[in-house]
Amino acid sequence: MMYPEYRPRRLRRTESLRALIRETTLSPKHLIYPLFIIHGKGIKQPIDAMPGCYQFSVDAVVKEAKEVFDLGINAVLLFGLPEKKDSRGSHAWIKSGVVQKAISAIKKSVPDLLVVTDVCLCEYTSHGHCGVLSNGRIDNDATLELLTKVALSHARAGADIVAPSDMMDGRVGTIREALDEHGFDQIPILSYAVKYASSFYGPFREAAECAPKSGDRRSYQMDPANAREAMREAMLDLEEGADILMVKPAMPYLDIIHLLRQEFTLPIAAYQVSGEYSMIKAASSKGWLDEARVVEESLLSIRRAGADVIITYFAKDIARNL
Ligand code: PBG
């Protein structure tokens, strides 16, 4: 096919023509909206570093969940800010925890909205790490037992999907086994399979108050320089029983999403993280970017790279615009 017989512009002439041959689609049904749950009543507290995002008390989050569902969004992802933190993060698995309460409240009033829960300890530990800290190290195998308790407590409260984000070795298999043993064989695991030690999580650490007090997460989250290792991580999680594989962050790692898409048949999710959100918000607020268009383009790029599902703080905005 050569010019002048072939002219690519022929199919770009009108919006109807462009729509006819559009390869990638975007729908609120692909999106998961993250929510931060805090103790108290009647609270909707703005998050400075993430304009348009809030910390909600359990009663307030129910209202928000209804609004999300009415916009056509299928799923929310819950993060908890506990009343108390301790060295083991025990408020992550108590029955009266904020997330556990939010799960049952949301399922009661919006039963068809999927409730996905982040399974991790960093928001609950006094040191801010995602696992048990002993002698300055994160003890992998001791952490697995606690993660199991967290996942089970979420399943008992009525979670539809659990999403371990800690990056401990062996967590998917351990959680799968525990869920099955306790009658939760129908609860899928959305695994943060390929989670990089990224500086794009900065604003989230304010939102979820979970910055590590010492050191960083590079001994458990992945080195941003590595792509082949991403395939090994994904393979491990697949073999341990993950139902959906996630890549995180999204935009700086489109190559990784694409690699996984080519190698695996499982559904793939991508997390457009807090830093990706706040960059677009900040530039738009200065008038340097057209927010609505940039958001749509960013989500399309993530889908085009191969993601089936996108976790994004823009879910409500984009659902309104679609
Ligand atoms: C908890 C967790 C983090 C994010 C999701 N789950 C923070 C981290 O690992 O430091 C980041 C999400 C975002 O930046 O939007 N482990």
Side-chain angles (χ1 to χ4, degrees):
M1 289 208 294
M2 284 284 282
Y3 170 84
E5 291 77 25
Y6 178 59
R7 292 174 180 268
R9 288 186 54 196
R10 272 181 210 131
L11 292 177
R12 293 182 202 143
R13 196 170 49 84
T14 66
E15 176 50 24
S16 306
L17 280 167
R18 293 191 291 270
L20 184 72
I21 58 150
R22 190 157 289 140
E23 299 172 28
T24 309
T25 57
L26 206 51
S27 145
K29 299 293 173 211
H30 305 137
L31 306 180
I32 302 180
Y33 186 56
L35 290 168
F36 301 98
I37 325 287
I38 193 167
H39 257 274
K41 258 199 145 174
I43 301 173
K44 183 178 176 184
Q45 170 77 24
I47 299 161
D48 260 2
M50 299 175 69
C53 293
Y54 303 83
Q55 297 168 336
F56 294 96
S57 54
V58 172
D59 55 325
V61 87
V62 170
K63 222 175 111 193
E64 179 73 5
K66 277 191 194 135
E67 198 182 313
V68 167
F69 188 69
D70 289 341
L71 283 167
I73 296 163
N74 256 354
V76 291
L77 171 62
L78 304 187
F79 294 95
L81 290 88
E83 201 170 14
K84 269 200 208 109
K85 302 191 189 225
D86 58 35
S87 65
R88 283 162 48 92
S90 63
H91 279 239
W93 62 80
I94 55 173
K95 214 175 152 188
S96 58
V98 272
V99 165
Q100 288 79 359
K101 283 202 222 158
I103 298 166
S104 46
I106 293 173
K107 288 310 292 184
K108 205 187 249 173
S109 64
V110 206
D112 293 329
L113 179 66
L114 292 172
V115 173
V116 188
T117 58
D118 185 82
V119 173
C120 197
L121 296 174
C122 63
E123 294 116 54
Y124 303 88
T125 52
S126 40
H127 45 75
H129 278 290
C130 304
V132 175
L133 191 60
S134 62
N135 303 322
R137 290 221 184 120
I138 308 301
D139 184 336
N140 190 87
D141 297 2
T143 304
L144 296 183
E145 190 193 326
L146 306 187
L147 293 169
T148 301
K149 288 174 188 259
V150 180
L152 275 176
S153 77
H154 292 172
R156 285 192 185 107
D160 295 294
I161 299 177
V162 293
S165 73
D166 50 282
M167 287 301 277
M168 295 301 121
D169 296 331
R171 80 274 169 73
V172 172
T174 309
I175 291 171
R176 182 71 273 158
E177 202 174 303
L179 288 173
D180 291 356
E181 239 168 59
H182 289 82
F184 297 112
D185 53 87
Q186 290 300 308
I187 301 296
I189 297 179
L190 192 178
S191 159
Y192 286 68
V194 183
K195 179 174 178 181
Y196 286 93
S198 171
S199 298
F200 286 96
Y201 307 151
F204 176 93
R205 290 177 186 174
E206 181 203 314
E209 294 167 12
C210 68
K213 297 273 181 312
S214 62
D216 52 47
R217 303 205 204 288
R218 283 184 288 180
S219 78
Y220 41 104
Q221 297 179 348
M222 280 182 54
D223 187 330
N226 294 354
R228 292 192 301 270
E229 187 187 354
M231 305 298 271
R232 295 199 294 276
E233 278 285 2
M235 184 60 81
L236 274 173
D237 285 11
L238 166 77
E239 284 171 358
E240 289 178 30
D243 298 279
I244 304 175
L245 299 170
M246 189 207 295
V247 174
K248 178 182 171 193
M251 288 232 301
Y253 298 88
L254 293 178
D255 58 328
I256 306 297
I257 297 172
H258 188 63
L259 273 176
L260 257 69
R261 173 74 297 154
Q262 294 186 315
E263 206 64 29
F264 297 92
T265 56
L266 281 189
I268 291 173
Y271 197 144
Q272 185 181 49
V273 302
S274 56
E276 299 177 68
Y277 174 82
S278 299
M279 280 194 308
I280 293 176
K281 279 282 178 191
S284 305
S285 78
K286 292 202 165 251
W288 294 343
L289 289 176
D290 178 334
E291 181 172 328
R293 295 199 142 192
V294 168
V295 169
E296 186 176 351
E297 188 176 333
S298 73
L299 297 180
L300 272 176
S301 76
I302 297 165
R303 292 265 302 156
R304 194 188 61 236
D308 301 292
V309 178
I310 306 175
I311 301 166
T312 175
Y313 302 97
F314 287 118
K316 285 174 68 184
D317 298 339
I318 196 86
R320 267 191 215 105
N321 291 338
L322 282 174

